Amino acid sequence: MTGRQEEHNQGNSHSMQLKLMNTSLYISISNTELVSWKKHITSWFQYIEKAFSRFLTHNELWLFNQAPVNELIQISPVFYDILQKAEEYRKKTEGRFSPFLLNELEAHGYNQSFPFKEATTNNAKIESHFDSKPLEFHEGFQIIKRTDQKIDLGGIAKGYAVEAAAKWLRTNAKSRYGIVDGGGDMTVWSNGEKTWDIGIMNPYHEDQRIGSFQIQNGGVATSNTIYRSWLQGGTKKHHLLDGRTGNPVKTSIIQATVVMNHCLDAEIGAKVCFMNDGKPIKSILNKLEEKNNFLIVNSDENIEMG
């Protein structure tokens, strides 16, 4: 878990909280002359949830997943941008991260929104296949699918939304400093007058702080194998799937927090920490961005920082 230095201030006219995208969102800015900023930010996150939640039907993600292979598909500029970034991350991480895991998530029992403790389906045989060039990007926000693998945007859509909201507030609201926190995946910024103290909480004891990062500008993200986990036929499963196998990762790492210049990079980085294959964590993260810091919690509660 990730925490902020200050408590939520309900009396602060420049802060707000939302419950969307199956998480708690907290946004706070130093100043603005835009009286409508909260309405704009709320509408943005509502749009992302409605358009790209895999638990809804007949939204843009669902329609794309139902569309036939090898045909040109017209999509929105936002969806096009997210898919381009997702494909770039898939290549940078050598397939560790992949958006093409909806079939596998559902086969492992993650076919309902949290919270739940036990899958409603039995273990299913995973017959994953992964295409080297699953999408072709064309001008005019058009795509040709070259795969029948279905897409789950999951954390990348949330990280994208957080980063875009922070950019809008910094540019249009002209706030000197601020934070957009999407349930631990966050972007902070400052003109230099504020340094953010981002606390890292113990995954086993949520009220116990085990480390912190002090940053003025950047993105922070945390992933762990505890909070989104469940039982399927007596087998413990979790939501962090290895994009190369389609199965939950097997690792001694329980929680990973990553700090990078951008929230989206940190979000992907936190996930691929669990798939380091015995390599130094730093070498995996450097493929995303050379400027990075991390805090890893292992199953024996030992902590590794870098």
Side-chain angles (χ1 to χ4, degrees):
M1 288 188 65
T2 315
R4 299 171 298 276
Q5 72 184 120
E6 66 272 345
E7 296 297 324
H8 296 172
N9 183 353
Q10 300 292 346
N12 182 1
S13 63
H14 296 315
S15 67
M16 64 182 296
Q17 296 181 70
L18 298 168
K19 187 71 175 180
L20 288 168
M21 303 169 65
N22 200 30
T23 194
S24 296
L25 296 156
Y26 174 70
I27 301 98
S28 180
I29 57 178
S30 59
N31 62 287
T32 184
E33 296 179 359
L34 294 176
V35 295
S36 62
W37 75 270
K38 292 182 181 180
K39 181 179 180 180
H40 180 96
I41 293 299
T42 299
S43 296
W44 167 245
F45 282 109
Q46 287 175 336
Y47 160 68
I48 292 292
E49 180 178 55
K50 291 177 181 178
F52 306 122
S53 170
R54 69 179 175 92
F55 300 111
L56 299 176
T57 59
H58 297 89
N59 62 3
E60 187 165 17
L61 177 64
W62 185 88
L63 291 171
F64 186 83
N65 281 331
Q66 303 304 311
V69 175
N70 299 323
E71 288 190 11
L72 198 63
I73 307 166
Q74 182 76 49
I75 62 175
S76 68
V78 170
F79 194 20
Y80 189 91
D81 195 27
I82 295 174
L83 288 179
Q84 272 197 322
K85 286 179 167 56
E87 183 62 2
E88 288 170 6
Y89 284 125
R90 188 184 69 85
K91 293 175 180 177
K92 284 182 179 180
T93 62
E94 299 173 322
R96 291 176 174 85
F97 164 81
S98 175
F100 303 99
L101 292 172
L102 178 55
N103 295 338
E104 287 74 15
L105 283 167
E106 292 181 342
H108 287 295
Y110 191 3
N111 59 355
Q112 57 185 308
S113 183
F114 270 93
F116 67 93
K117 294 182 179 179
E118 191 160 350
T120 57
T121 58
N122 295 323
N123 285 296
K125 185 178 181 181
I126 307 297
E127 296 181 350
S128 300
H129 65 277
F130 302 99
D131 302 276
S132 59
K133 192 176 180 181
L135 300 176
E136 285 184 12
F137 295 88
H138 295 264
E139 292 184 358
F141 310 112
Q142 298 181 96
I143 288 180
I144 297 177
K145 291 198 306 183
R146 298 299 189 191
T147 178
D148 58 3
Q149 291 290 101
K150 293 185 178 181
I151 288 174
D152 166 47
L153 294 176
I156 192 172
K158 183 174 71 169
Y160 182 94
V162 165
E163 197 167 307
K167 183 178 180 180
W168 187 89
L169 288 166
R170 189 172 187 173
T171 302
N172 295 283
K174 301 187 185 306
S175 53
R176 299 189 308 275
Y177 57 84
I179 181 171
V180 179
D181 181 357
D185 293 355
M186 64 184 74
T187 293
V188 300
W189 69 96
S190 172
N191 63 354
E193 64 183 277
K194 184 176 183 63
T195 298
W196 297 92
D197 177 33
I198 308 300
I200 313 303
M201 315 310 288
N202 190 321
Y204 296 109
H205 310 285
E206 296 180 15
D207 59 344
Q208 180 184 354
R209 185 165 167 156
I210 57 176
S212 64
F213 294 101
Q214 284 71 45
I215 60 175
Q216 290 189 342
N217 296 278
V220 185
T222 297
S223 289
N224 71 52
T225 59
I226 296 176
Y227 299 125
R228 282 190 168 89
S229 61
W230 62 93
L231 288 174
Q232 185 187 43
T235 301
K236 187 73 172 289
K237 300 286 183 74
H238 60 76
H239 75 294
L240 291 173
L241 304 192
D242 189 326
R244 299 164 297 182
T245 67
N247 289 310
V249 294
K250 294 182 179 179
T251 174
S252 62
I253 297 174
I254 296 297
Q255 179 171 283
T257 300
V258 172
V259 180
M260 291 186 173
N261 285 328
H262 302 285
C263 177
L264 205 45
D265 288 342
E267 207 282 328
I268 303 301
K271 284 181 169 59
V272 299
C273 283
F274 294 85
M275 310 167 207
N276 63 328
D277 304 327
K279 299 177 182 178
I281 296 292
K282 204 76 171 176
S283 68
I284 301 295
L285 296 179
N286 284 347
K287 293 181 179 180
L288 295 170
E289 184 181 309
E290 291 189 0
K291 185 179 179 182
N292 61 74
N293 297 98
F294 65 86
L295 188 151
I296 302 294
V297 181
N298 290 292
S299 55
D300 58 5
E301 297 194 49
N302 281 335
I303 295 173
E304 177 186 354
M305 297 187 70

